[in-house]
Amino acid sequence: MLTIRVPVQGFGASLGRKWVKDGPQGVAVGNIVHIELKVAKGHTKPRTWVVHTAYPE
């Protein structure tokens, strides 16, 4: 698994708000997105990466 952090341009300081079950509500998130990549099974040459999950910081 490979995790990369990418800043998103053009949306100001925040991408929006997040809500967490049993946690703080409506908290502003930053403009950094975490993208987790994993190798697709069955694809060895060339090695193929797929997005496992992505979420704002």
Side-chain angles (χ1 to χ4, degrees):
M1 186 107 44
L2 173 67
T3 301
I4 58 175
R5 295 175 65 217
V6 179
V8 178
Q9 303 289 330
F11 290 96
S14 176
L15 293 173
R17 300 188 177 277
K18 70 176 178 178
W19 281 261
V20 180
K21 182 179 178 181
D22 299 326
Q25 303 301 306
V27 177
V29 296
N31 66 346
I32 304 291
V33 176
H34 290 256
I35 302 171
E36 291 184 6
L37 304 173
K38 67 178 185 177
V39 176
K41 291 183 179 179
H43 297 271
T44 56
K45 292 183 181 179
R47 194 174 214 185
T48 303
W49 293 88
V50 295
V51 175
H52 181 252
T53 188
Y55 53 92
E57 185 175 278

